[in-house]
């Protein structure tokens, strides 16, 4: 069963320390709200499990003035893409 993990906490809150052991290949990670600040910490994303899809919500990036490049192991999605990600996974978990 795949899970889409929704993370809205900034890197300074240490959210990946707690979440890292729960992420599995085939899962997805959507960074939204303050989670988009992980764009400034690509080294933290590089250590995530292989086979995990990582996405940034583009509207939240733009709202925070982040328009830099997305790490090679990630992609951006808009709200329609957010819905599609939810539909393509068996379950979702919000880490707020």
């Amino acid at each position: 069963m795949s899970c889409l993990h929704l993370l809205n906490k900034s890197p300074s809150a240490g959210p990946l320390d707690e979440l890292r052991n729960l992420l599995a290949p085939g899962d997805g990670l959507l960074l939204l709200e303050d989670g988009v600040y992980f764009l400034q910490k690509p080294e933290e994303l590089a250590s995530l499990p292989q086979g995990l899809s990582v996405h940034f919500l583009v509207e939240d990036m733009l709202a925070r003035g982040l328009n830099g490049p997305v790490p090679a192991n990630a992609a951006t999605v808009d709200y329609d893409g957010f819905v599609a990600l939810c539909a393509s996974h068996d379950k979702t978990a919000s880490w707020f």
Side-chain angles (χ1 to χ4, degrees):
M1 282 187 112
S2 66
C3 181
L4 177 63
H5 300 270
L6 308 175
L7 182 61
N8 78 334
K9 296 179 182 176
S10 72
S12 63
L16 283 183
D17 296 335
E18 299 173 29
L19 187 56
R20 193 175 313 277
N21 294 329
L22 301 173
L23 299 172
D27 283 354
L29 175 62
L30 177 60
L31 299 155
L32 64 158
E33 297 175 7
D34 285 348
V36 297
Y37 285 113
F38 275 97
L39 276 173
Q40 299 170 331
K41 299 280 187 172
E43 67 280 358
E44 291 197 39
L45 298 178
S47 65
L48 295 175
Q50 294 286 337
L52 175 76
S53 65
V54 179
H55 297 86
F56 290 88
L57 189 63
V58 72
E59 285 86 353
D60 288 339
M61 289 171 52
L62 296 174
R64 286 157 180 80
L66 300 172
N67 57 5
V70 175
N73 64 335
T76 59
V77 294
D78 58 11
Y79 284 116
D80 289 340
F82 183 172
V83 172
L85 283 172
C86 290
S88 68
H89 289 82
D90 299 312
K91 57 185 177 176
T92 60
S94 297
W95 303 99
F96 292 87

